[in-house]
Amino acid sequence: MFARFKLAAAAAAMLCTPALAAPDSITLGMVLEPPNLDPTGGAAAAIDEVVYANVFEGLTRIAPDGSVQPGLAESWDSSDGKTYTFHLRPGVTFHDGSAFDAQDVIFSLDRARADDSTNAQKVLFEGIETVEAVDPLTVRVTLKSPDGGFPFKMAWGDAVMVDEASIKDIATQPVGTGPFRFGEWKQGDHVRLDAFDGYWGQKPALKSATFRFIGDPTAAFAALMAGDIDSFPIYPAPETLSQLEADPRFRILTGTTEGETILAMNHKNPALADIRVRQAIAHAINRQEIIDGAMFGYGTPIGTHFAPHHPDYVDLTAKSQYDPEQSKKLLAEAGTGDLTLRLALPPTPYARRGGEIVAAELRAVGIQTQITNMEWAQWLEQVFKNADYDLTIISHVEPMDIGIYGRKDYYFNYTNAGFDEVMARLDATTDPAERSALLKQAQEILAGDYANAFLFQLAKTGVAKAEIEGLWDNSPMPANDLTQVRWKE
């Protein structure tokens, strides 16, 4: 009787006990640690992976489906594609308590386009003629010529709005308008963000988010299995995905990215300035072998610098199909002899694994490579900034970035007057059908000129605990947008 009473009392107590609250923090894994936390002053995608839509916001923003949506500007209008009027949201404040208004837009855009600007995407702002405040919540941007893609350009991480009062410390103590404010950065280990109580929009469900840096694939798998990581949005060990997929604790996130993975060539190298050599390199590459060997089957072959999920994509892989005999013939015609090229590899698994395969494929047609494995900061300085390399493998994750081939002194050192003309016409038109035709023409030019060896579109293969909702399946931007992330009740 006494035992029955105890059981009944215990059952009643369980019924009266409230359900456990869902966690309000999350720990995400990242392969690369950002070199700084200023998206307006660095080229590393890892910066945006931490701060885009979390700490910093722009006038517009990229949504999970890749569309351009309102950001700090609740709307905008333009009758001619040359003058844009942005209507700012009222009641927005920076994390330091200062109000956001038209003067901050002027400061941010003028800073980005200044002669001494260190913005990695300064070209986004080159078309701006003037930025004027109509009133505290209205900004007029006048361009030098019509640009139908200007709202899209304002959605890049490089175009976020910044606070002049805190600009001197932006690299290590970033201050933005986003739903999360900077918490701490323990270099070599993690960055923590905390929810911002004064956020203008919908408050996030999370109170804090920690980004832990784990570059080793084996360590990444171990951290997930041990529960130390709640999610690895871009998981570096695809060879273990089948094991994780069979584990009910986890959910696999499979989607697309904007990451065109390429074997980039430095056109300042006399051998690589010869289209026959570039074509030979392209035909020496077996894309599927790299996808299978470096990415364990995850990835989509590409034949030009364009994302396959984009409606204007043209499949040009046949132009550079795997044909080692053709490669040998082209090299003989070019009279290269014993060609040896330096192959610089950043620390990402796709580059290190893929680099070994590429080196073997090039060796098979008579091109030797000298491989140098670089840390990320070294790659950014030596390859991206100083163009001191012959070949490198890298994934360009910026959205719709085909225009980089028209940039002077970009690390490819590529020039093509026909391509430049097409891009100038693209910038000048707002007609969707004409823009589509020009984008297709630009793809054809790059493929026909063998500007680089185009390998594959980087797949987004992520892992998350099954209870987590709101993470992006696709990556239209290099971002881990936490605004909708929550744990199931």
Side-chain angles (χ1 to χ4, degrees), residues 54 170 254 329:
N54 298 325
I170 189 173
T254 304
K329 185 183 302 183

Side-chain angles (χ1 to χ4, degrees), residues 3 17 60 157 178 215 284 313 351 362 414 455:
T17 301
T60 60
Y313 174 73
L362 293 179
Y414 174 73
L455 305 180

Side-chain angles (χ1 to χ4, degrees), residues 149-174:
F150 188 69
F152 174 75
K153 291 177 179 178
M154 292 298 96
W156 284 47
D158 310 81
V160 296
M161 298 293 103
V162 294
D163 182 14
E164 183 175 7
S166 61
I167 204 68
K168 65 181 187 303
D169 297 319
I170 189 173
T172 56
Q173 300 280 334

Side-chain angles (χ1 to χ4, degrees), residues 342-408:
R342 297 172 299 156
L343 176 57
L345 300 177
T348 48
Y350 69 78
R352 295 286 173 86
R353 292 169 176 160
E356 296 295 336
I357 298 170
V358 165
E361 291 174 340
L362 293 179
R363 188 164 54 248
V365 301
I367 299 175
Q368 302 300 317
T369 57
Q370 296 174 344
I371 292 179
T372 300
N373 290 327
M374 295 181 172
E375 292 307 309
W376 188 231
Q378 181 188 6
W379 187 92
L380 287 171
E381 180 70 19
Q382 181 174 326
V383 177
F384 186 77
K385 181 179 179 181
N386 295 321
D388 182 10
Y389 78 106
D390 297 326
L391 305 171
T392 190
I393 296 177
I394 192 67
S395 189
H396 280 258
V397 296
E398 295 83 4
M400 250 275 287
D401 61 347
I402 193 170
I404 59 178
Y405 288 82
R407 297 184 188 176
K408 307 308 176 192

Side-chain angles (χ1 to χ4, degrees), residues 207-226:
K207 295 299 183 186
S208 69
T210 299
F211 296 84
R212 278 192 56 197
F213 312 122
I214 306 175
D216 179 69
T218 302
F221 175 71
L224 276 169
M225 296 301 289

Side-chain angles (χ1 to χ4, degrees), residues 17-101:
T17 301
L20 289 175
D24 59 7
S25 64
I26 192 171
T27 300
L28 299 98
M30 287 177 54
V31 172
L32 297 175
E33 179 174 13
N36 62 67
L37 298 175
D38 175 13
T40 68
I47 302 173
D48 280 343
E49 288 176 17
V50 174
V51 302
Y52 185 85
N54 298 325
V55 175
F56 290 106
E57 300 172 300
L59 294 174
T60 60
R61 59 160 292 160
I62 298 295
D65 64 358
S67 62
V68 179
Q69 298 293 329
L72 292 175
E74 58 186 3
S75 64
W76 59 91
D77 48 73
S78 177
S79 60
D80 58 2
K82 184 177 180 181
T83 300
Y84 286 85
T85 302
F86 292 92
H87 306 280
L88 308 181
R89 297 183 187 276
V92 177
T93 61
F94 285 100
H95 301 151
D96 60 6
S98 60
F100 167 77
D101 61 20

